[in-house]
Amino acid sequence: MKQVQWIKAPVATGYAAVCFIKKFTVGEGLVHAVLKVSAMGIYVAEINGEKIGRQVLVPGWTNYDYRVQYATEDITAQMGRENTLSISVGPGWAVGRMGYHGDRQLYSNEVHAVCELTLTYADGRKENLTTGEDWEVFTHEVTFSDIYDGETVDKTHEPKLLGNAVCVGEKFPLILQVGEDITEQERFAPVELIITPKGERVIDFGQNLAGYVELKIKGKRGDRVVLSFAEVLDKDGNFYKENYRSAKNIVTYICSGNEDVFKPRFSFQGYRYIRLDEYPFDTVELDGFRSVAVSSALTRTGRFACGDAKINQLYHNIIWGQKSNYLDIPTDCPQRDERLGWTGDTQVFCRTAALNFDVRKFFEKWLGDLRLEQKSDGAVLGICPEKFKGNYKTRTSAGWGDVATIVPWTLYEIYGDKKILEENFELMRRWVEYIRHAGGEEYLWLGGYHYGDWLAMDAGGDTYVGATSNDLIGTAFYAHSVDLLVRAGEVLGRDMSEYRSLHQKVKDAFRAYFMENGMPKEELPLTEVVQAGKSSSDFLRKGITQTSLVLILHFGLCLEEERAALGKKLCELIRDFGNRMSTGFLGTPYLLHVLSSIGRQDLAYELFFAEGNPSWLYSVNHGATTMWEHWNSLKEDGSFWSTDMNSFNHYSYGAVGDWIYGEICGIKIAEGGAGYRKLLLTPHPIRRLSFAKCALDTVQGRVESHWYYAGDRVNFEFTVPEGSEATICLPDGKRETVTGGSYYYSVKALD
Ligand code: BGC
């Protein structure tokens, strides 16, 4: 869309949506009508009163300073002779409140619209209709909208002409949509109407999700329905929304007097329950309510089921954590006053995400923003898209910025497409250079600002930061990022000798500084670290923690001969912690992988099946339908972890999904086998599950692994796609390399 003018309303419209309208007549012989459309804010385009396109919450969220996506829609079938084209725009991400500082208008202080309609006639003639001063601007029935605070839809509203649109030129940079479509997905009918002890009328939809509530109702003109949202009820069974912090999440529907169908169009909520704060009837017409899940329209690629209902529920919760948080960008959570593209959460979960769904297009868009936002010194921030004020150096952290290397490499491994590495090689390399110059030491990452092993349990329980030394974490991720950069460069056929030697030097420096006699040092020097609201004394500086050992083993930071003792120490720490893990955001995703890799699948299973706090099944036992931010977001005594940092839809700990596919069912990519061209099938049957079954739709075709107990035997069935080579390793030691086809084995059960 070139040389097309953006338009805005002639007066300030605050939190209300506005409607830009153009009426026009079409000549004889129209054969084709294509609309290109976008907005600053969130838009809904309509032709002759009919919605255009299947997407919602468009144009999604990019860093609008660099690019605003426009959609292309074929509207030929919806055209008449006399036509009314309208673009309604609400504040959305661009103009509304966004970010944990409560900032508003990050990208613009007013909503804007832009479009170009190209009409093609039978004789080849083309006509272009674009936004301009001849468009009229009206008030809208959505009199309030904000992503955090909710929406008011007033069907009694009489649109008022505000005047003609004001042209502002080519104010915002446009690009053709690169991301996945955002669409309405599953629809949930109410499961139950609950009257709480406080007498509140609460509807349970049975599934925590991101989306909105659609309501069909025939009330009297001016009747109001006011909805509040919640993820959980409190221990007394009352409605609980304190964990939304400053996000009000209130949706108000005002009836016209006829039958109305309401839903928000410029905001979404994260919830499982709604409370009817106002409702015009004594009896609740439950059938009028639907909870509509909204997310990026990703194709499902991974499936898993086993003979244990709790594990199946955990898997369900992982999938729904992703559905709720892959709404155009990968977010931390979909409900409170964040919903931000936290890079740490993104890197932690991306492997599982890329197995569950085809996320290539989704990440192509988001990585584009990450590249655009990378600072000139290579810094990658804690959030993307990000537009906060102040010193960005206090907003970049080990384990968060490393998203720059981890996501491209992971996508390459899973989808086998070198283009991903080509596109992101400079992002990766410049991030490594940032770390190289971040601290005083070239081969260590000391000091600076870090989130650490966020939410780990080893720094005295309910704190935000774990006990592991941030310097150790920083340098470990430094080594890992250089390693991934080297691998990427090698795939691309580049000369990586400099970075190969850097990798070795960082590893050597790591061992020299953090370890002695093959073990991390117990206590490490504390370098000054400043984190908002915390003094450095809040930080512990332990060298020997579950997380430090996991990182050393997983990133290969020790000598081969040191692995056994480090592994043994890790198992001891788990025992000392009451057979529990103490790892946080950074250690947990690798923990079970490490245990499997050191031959302690038994202990991995023990942790995986644990039900106390902390464990994956704790939340399942407490009725979770998505992953929780904390292992014990809801505590044993029924109280909440906190009000200020307690999401019930945070996918990070769902990163165990990768281990479920990779170790329980045993489908792994072999070294050098990107895209599952070469794979390992190393299932770990366990009688408790009785069977486990997994299918992955890879770029090579479907890979399947299925095992099931039959008396004293375990039977295995595998499918290997044509063109792939798989090495099958069975528990009895049998090992065989096969090509495309179906394979069946039966071995004596060892348990
Ligand atoms: C988010 C996290 C994020 C963290 C940074 C939180 O507020 O919800 O998931 O990674 O901040 O430490």
Side-chain angles (χ1 to χ4, degrees), residues 461-497:
D462 296 346
T463 59
Y464 297 138
V465 285
T468 312
S469 149
N470 278 343
D471 290 341
L472 185 148
I473 292 175
T475 307
F477 272 92
Y478 179 13
H480 185 50
S481 271
V482 184
D483 185 21
L484 299 184
L485 173 69
V486 170
R487 291 180 199 218
E490 284 171 352
V491 169
L492 297 175
R494 301 191 190 206
D495 174 10
M496 296 309 288
S497 46

Side-chain angles (χ1 to χ4, degrees), residues 100 245 332-333 336 338 342-345 382 400 451-452 454-455 464 531 585 629 644-645 647 650 652:
Y100 51 76
R245 307 195 303 210
D332 55 337
C333 55
R336 69 179 177 219
E338 293 208 57
W342 280 100
T343 49
D345 310 45
W400 271 252
Y451 302 115
W454 185 247
L455 306 185
Y464 297 138
Q531 188 170 329
F585 266 39
E629 180 168 21
D644 65 334
M645 193 71 81
S647 147
H650 235 73
S652 297

Side-chain angles (χ1 to χ4, degrees), residues 89-105:
V89 190
W93 292 281
V95 184
R97 201 154 74 84
M98 220 55 234
Y100 51 76
H101 300 306
D103 293 342
R104 256 205 97 195
Q105 305 174 337

Side-chain angles (χ1 to χ4, degrees), residues 17-32:
V18 287
C19 188
F20 299 93
I21 290 189
K22 173 73 187 161
K23 290 187 190 317
F24 60 97
T25 308
V26 168
E28 288 299 318
L30 178 77
V31 286
H32 206 196

